[in-house]
Amino acid sequence: MTFEEVYYFVGIKGSGMSALAMILHGKGFKVSGSDVETYFFTQKGLDDKGITIYPFDKENIKPGMTVIAGNAFSDDHEEIVKAKEMGLTVIRYHNFIGEFIKNYTSIGITGSHGKTSTTGLLAHVLGGIEPTSYLIGDGTGFGREDAEFFVLEACEYRRHFLAYSPDYAIITNIDFDHPDYYKNIEDVFHAFDEFSSQVKKGIIACGEDPCLRKLSSNYPIIFYGFSEDNDVFVRDVVKNTSGSSFDVYIKGEKYGHFSIPSYGNHNILNSIAVITFCWLEGIDKEQVQAQLETFGGVKRRFTEKKVADMVVIDDYAHHPSEIKATIDAATQKYPDKEIIAVFQPHTFTRTIALMDDFGEALNLADSVYLCDIFSSAREQTGKVSIEDLAGKIAKGAEVLQLNNMSPLLKHKNAVVLFMGAGDVQKFGTAYEDLLSYSTKRMS
């Protein structure tokens, strides 16, 4: 592929698209794109870099552009049609990435859960030591001309990650998700198994996941986890309100002691994966230790703020496994506070397929509130309601309305988790505004 100097993104606010746009901008290319006019959190990075965002219009397409098409937009989109009529190069996002990473030592991070956090962690650690470009699924992208490494979040949705043949892969887990596309867990497994066969140098996989133990690969798989039957494992784990610390053993020998300022077992596992990659590449252990201690997290993953006497946390968790991990992290950091879950399901198909699992996960919180199911561009309606999910929660759940967040005001000196992959942030904002207003009235 010949990379042109002018790139135009159809759907530039998509999390992967916005990240790629920032990478190409950072490498000195001219970048612009189009999207809906509604503000989305990925837009901030584009605005900060001065990348122009147009409303969709076929007249935006000009001679000399290479058009990168977001996967959410079909070939009959007006801008894609116009680009093809003009004879311009039109390439899908994941195919562009597949070619682009061939210029680097590439690391693809994938898994049903945890890939964004792990990608962000590896980008932070490796980028603080070696010249590194990276693309994170929270909409963050960074490109530098002298980069030797490329850290990439590889999404399994619709098997898009099969466009990638990275040098290394980190695979965090395999779970049934995206029921609008995958038939069952076996279908998901086959996709990951095919992806693993395309990895060039080596795979780092979580040995705590039974599905990952079944992977076939052209290269040996290094397993990591808590149990000592893994190639890389931890001992002497200490978890407290400041974070977690642990000793890492590789091939039965103690490698080093590490501390992280994050919470929950999932963040320990993510850290072991990153440490394992750095060990494979001969990255200085002391520098890795120092970088781990300064990681501040990624967007919409356990993002905290204090409002009045409440801790308000925004998190992207939209699968039962992720909800459990988020509640686990909140319980570790705030062991003496009530944990309140506010959850917005994402897509009707996922809600139906995982209904019982959602109920089980949300029951781990002390109190549960629900927001109406987010209808994505993939599906506008479905044969399930938010009341159906409420009925699966043993301790009971109240459905919130955006114009009335007052039921949450009865909780004092507690932690509120706003979780979901849709627009649950608007419920969080409404609650914060109401809480601030109520506090002022009381003072």
Side-chain angles (χ1 to χ4, degrees):
M1 177 186 298
T2 300
F3 292 103
E4 306 293 342
E5 293 186 356
V6 180
Y7 293 101
Y8 183 88
F9 287 72
V10 179
I12 196 169
K13 295 183 187 180
S15 57
M17 292 279 280
S18 61
L20 178 58
M22 287 187 279
I23 290 169
L24 295 179
H25 178 272
K27 293 182 71 65
F29 296 113
K30 185 177 180 180
V31 176
S32 62
S34 57
D35 216 310
V36 296
E37 295 185 62
T38 303
Y39 186 86
F40 195 57
F41 73 94
T42 55
Q43 184 175 337
K44 184 178 186 305
L46 299 170
D47 291 340
D48 289 346
K49 294 186 181 300
I51 296 173
T52 303
I53 304 173
Y54 301 98
F56 290 128
D57 189 329
K58 64 183 180 180
E59 299 305 319
N60 295 332
I61 306 302
K62 306 296 181 185
M65 289 179 168
T66 291
V67 175
I68 301 175
N71 294 323
F73 303 93
S74 62
D75 287 343
D76 60 2
H77 187 280
E78 62 176 311
E79 293 182 337
I80 297 174
V81 170
K82 179 67 175 296
K84 289 182 176 180
E85 289 175 350
M86 293 175 63
L88 302 179
T89 297
V90 178
I91 184 168
R92 287 289 171 182
Y93 161 81
H94 56 287
N95 293 324
F96 183 93
I97 290 290
E99 291 295 322
F100 190 70
I101 64 175
K102 292 178 180 179
N103 301 299
Y104 308 89
T105 296
S106 56
I107 311 97
I109 294 91
T110 191
S112 299
H113 323 294
K115 51 185 173 285
T116 296
S117 297
T118 307
T119 305
L121 181 60
L122 180 57
H124 174 80
V125 171
L126 192 58
I129 303 171
E130 301 286 349
T132 303
S133 293
Y134 52 82
L135 188 155
I136 308 172
D138 66 352
T140 303
F142 177 73
R144 52 184 293 177
E145 295 182 8
D146 62 342
E148 300 173 15
F149 293 94
F150 194 101
V151 178
L152 163 73
E153 179 171 340
C155 182
E156 77 278 13
Y157 184 59
R158 293 190 177 275
R159 288 177 164 82
H160 288 151
F161 62 176
L162 297 186
Y164 312 147
S165 296
D167 295 297
Y168 294 95
I170 292 174
I171 310 179
T172 58
N173 44 57
I174 297 176
D175 203 349
F176 181 51
D177 197 6
H178 304 299
D180 59 320
Y181 174 75
Y182 287 107
K183 301 180 184 70
N184 47 41
I185 185 63
E186 289 78 18
D187 193 20
V188 179
F189 173 80
H190 289 314
F192 278 92
D193 198 38
E194 186 175 354
F195 171 75
S196 71
S197 71
Q198 300 176 178
V199 178
K200 297 175 182 176
K201 291 184 179 180
I203 294 173
I204 300 165
C206 181
E208 307 298 307
D209 189 305
C211 285
L212 288 176
R213 290 285 185 175
K214 301 174 186 177
L215 285 177
S216 58
S217 172
N218 298 324
Y219 297 94
I221 301 175
I222 295 179
F223 289 103
Y224 67 90
F226 291 104
S227 59
E228 296 189 7
D229 61 345
N230 290 294
D231 302 295
V232 184
F233 61 87
V234 293
R235 287 179 180 165
D236 300 321
V237 175
V238 176
K239 297 192 290 183
N240 54 40
T241 57
S242 298
S244 305
S245 63
F246 44 86
D247 292 331
V248 173
Y249 286 74
I250 300 179
K251 304 294 185 181
E253 299 292 328
K254 184 175 179 179
Y255 179 64
H257 181 78
F258 297 85
S259 297
I260 57 174
S262 49
Y263 306 86
N265 285 341
H266 63 294
N267 279 312
I268 296 175
L269 290 171
N270 296 347
S271 300
I272 305 170
V274 168
I275 292 165
T276 302
F277 170 78
C278 292
W279 169 73
L280 283 173
E281 278 291 301
I283 307 294
D284 181 76
K285 176 176 62 179
E286 283 72 26
Q287 292 189 64
V288 173
Q289 290 169 326
Q291 290 297 317
L292 282 171
E293 292 177 359
T294 60
F295 181 57
V298 295
K299 297 174 188 172
R300 296 220 57 223
R301 299 306 190 281
F302 212 79
T303 303
E304 298 181 65
K305 65 172 63 174
K306 186 76 180 293
V307 183
D309 65 341
M310 303 293 288
V311 177
V312 181
I313 297 174
D314 175 48
D315 196 278
Y316 192 70
H318 59 285
H319 185 280
S321 296
E322 297 165 352
I323 291 170
K324 289 178 180 179
T326 302
I327 294 173
D328 176 49
T331 302
Q332 178 185 337
K333 187 169 185 181
Y334 300 102
D336 300 323
K337 290 182 181 289
E338 180 188 18
I339 306 298
I340 302 146
V342 179
F343 175 60
Q344 180 194 52
H346 185 256
T347 75
F348 295 98
T349 50
R350 182 183 282 117
T351 306
I352 293 171
L354 304 175
M355 181 84 73
D356 291 337
D357 295 328
F358 277 126
E360 179 186 344
L362 289 165
N363 269 317
L364 296 174
D366 297 309
S367 299
V368 180
Y369 296 84
L370 299 173
C371 309
D372 276 332
I373 299 168
F374 180 79
S375 58
S376 71
R378 301 177 197 168
E379 51 179 38
Q380 296 298 314
T381 60
K383 298 178 180 179
V384 66
S385 71
I386 195 64
E387 286 76 18
D388 294 325
L389 177 55
K392 293 290 184 178
I393 298 167
K395 63 184 57 178
E398 184 172 349
V399 178
L400 291 173
Q401 301 299 325
L402 186 61
N403 61 0
N404 182 18
M405 301 297 289
S406 60
L408 291 176
L409 291 179
K410 67 184 179 184
H411 300 282
K412 307 295 182 184
N413 192 30
V415 178
V416 186
L417 304 172
F418 285 89
M419 296 180 287
D423 57 4
V424 71
Q425 306 102 302
K426 68 184 183 183
F427 288 87
T429 300
Y431 170 63
E432 292 169 22
D433 291 344
L434 177 62
L435 186 59
S436 297
Y437 174 73
S438 300
T439 302
K440 289 178 182 176
R441 287 193 64 186
M442 295 291 290
S443 61

